[in-house]
Amino acid sequence: YANQHLEEGAKVVPVCYPSSAGPWLNGKNQPDLTAPSYDSSVAQGYVNLLAAVEKTHRDDPTARLTIVGYSQGAQAADAVLETIASGGTDVPRELVDGKLYADPKQPDTGMWAKVPKGLGAFGFTSTGPGPREFPGVPVARFCIRGDLACDATTPVNALDFFLTDKHARYVLEGNVLSRTIAQDGLNGVYWSDN
């Protein structure tokens, strides 16, 4: 859906991981007692995404890489971008940028910025906030106002998260993801109403 907004010739490398929060939700948003926990799913997302980034770079050492993640995938992508920015991989920072949608690690306002690092229950553990800057790597974070994942600033946002479709709106045609996926040169936090 959003990939149709990329420039012609752009190569998309999908990265598979459980995308689950077991036992509450499996990767298809259905209850599943055997589904991996949120923490396990994010960890697998990190491993798979970093491997895909490193393989893509080995296959084409001059390719520009834009790492994109949404919600739980944004948390995994945030961690991969931190690894690249800190020199923890052979992928050069100057070839990488990032776009994070509904990032729970968004500094100051994200869900994990509001919960003390290490505090957790039922397979959800706070990582604390992500970095404000990724040295040498431009990263844009996009948040729809009121989405608990990245705007955990009021109790109303928590209710909205569970009672409305606000968190699911990123991927709808015409909303923030389709409007920004192909934009270059973005860095920082960007707020949207849809």
Side-chain angles (χ1 to χ4, degrees):
Y1 49 90
N3 293 342
Q4 69 186 348
H5 298 283
L6 296 173
E7 292 180 20
E8 189 173 327
K11 181 180 176 186
V12 176
V13 179
V15 176
C16 296
Y17 72 106
S19 186
S20 61
W24 292 276
L25 297 173
N26 61 19
K28 296 181 173 117
N29 283 336
Q30 300 167 342
D32 184 343
L33 294 175
T34 64
S37 70
Y38 182 92
D39 292 346
S40 294
S41 182
V42 170
Q44 189 63 57
Y46 170 85
V47 167
N48 294 359
L49 178 55
L50 184 59
V53 167
E54 290 175 334
K55 180 183 183 319
T56 301
H57 176 67
R58 278 193 310 276
D59 291 349
D60 184 353
T62 62
R64 296 249 347 122
L65 305 172
T66 299
I67 296 170
V68 178
Y70 162 67
S71 192
Q72 186 183 105
Q75 183 172 335
D78 187 305
V80 168
L81 289 161
E82 288 180 55
T83 298
I84 293 167
S86 68
T89 180
D90 291 335
V91 177
R93 290 183 282 250
E94 62 272 11
L95 294 178
V96 177
D97 67 337
K99 291 193 171 90
L100 306 176
Y101 299 86
D103 182 7
K105 294 176 65 173
Q106 183 164 301
D108 300 321
T109 62
M111 184 169 60
W112 296 140
K114 299 297 183 182
V115 177
K117 183 177 182 174
L119 186 63
F122 309 112
F124 293 82
T125 306
S126 174
T127 60
R132 291 184 194 291
E133 298 288 330
F134 297 78
V137 179
V139 175
R141 287 184 170 103
F142 301 93
C143 184
I144 292 177
R145 285 179 187 82
D147 177 9
L148 179 68
C150 51
D151 188 13
T153 55
T154 71
V156 171
N157 294 355
L159 289 174
D160 279 353
F161 187 80
F162 294 105
L163 301 177
T164 72
D165 69 343
K166 192 168 283 199
H167 186 66
R169 292 181 191 166
Y170 293 83
V171 299
L172 298 177
E173 182 60 35
N175 283 0
V176 66
L177 200 149
S178 65
R179 289 192 321 263
T180 60
I181 190 95
Q183 290 182 351
D184 287 329
L186 300 177
N187 191 41
V189 174
Y190 298 85
W191 294 92
S192 178
D193 291 320
N194 60 19

